[in-house]
Amino acid sequence: MNRESEERLIDFCAHQKDAFQESAWLDSRIISRDEMAAVCLFLSGSDWYGHKQRLASLADHFIGGSGRLFTDLVSQLNFDCSRFSNLLRRKIHDA
């Protein structure tokens, strides 16, 4: 995940936190399906974002039951979970 796609995704996730629309996630083309799956899995495992079940279901949709593990996606995509979490929390807090 590059910084540009990360920034677009943080804006998207910040907006979706309080105005969650599953269709927006499904229709989004701001990042790849694997990146979206990784983010959905990450956020569904958090205790601060909300929408756990819906995000887990979306992640399953994006990876299509391939059985891919979150750790594999993180490694493949160079997804910096700590950085993403910090930036997203800051964006939500400042909104």
Side-chain angles (χ1 to χ4, degrees), residues 11-21 25 48-51 54 88 91-93 95:
D11 289 341
F12 175 80
C13 290
H15 175 73
Q16 285 291 304
K17 182 175 185 328
D18 293 327
F20 193 91
Q21 293 180 334
W25 292 79
W48 54 269
Y49 189 79
H51 316 289
R54 294 166 80 186
L88 179 54
K91 180 82 171 183
I92 291 168
H93 180 266

Side-chain angles (χ1 to χ4, degrees), residues 5-49:
S5 61
E6 179 186 62
E7 185 177 330
R8 287 191 312 258
L9 187 55
I10 286 170
D11 289 341
F12 175 80
C13 290
H15 175 73
Q16 285 291 304
K17 182 175 185 328
D18 293 327
F20 193 91
Q21 293 180 334
E22 194 169 307
S23 61
W25 292 79
L26 292 169
D27 296 339
S28 177
R29 301 290 181 253
I30 59 175
I31 58 174
S32 73
R33 293 174 68 82
D34 284 350
E35 289 171 317
M36 192 63 93
V39 169
C40 287
L41 288 169
F42 173 72
L43 292 175
S44 72
S46 74
D47 61 353
W48 54 269
Y49 189 79

Side-chain angles (χ1 to χ4, degrees), residues 1 34-35 37-39 41-42 68-82:
M1 182 178 304
D34 284 350
E35 289 171 317
V39 169
L41 288 169
F42 173 72
R68 295 178 70 191
L69 300 174
F70 175 66
T71 54
D72 293 337
L73 285 171
V74 167
S75 177
Q76 173 196 348
L77 299 169
N78 296 318
F79 179 39
D80 186 338
C81 298
S82 294

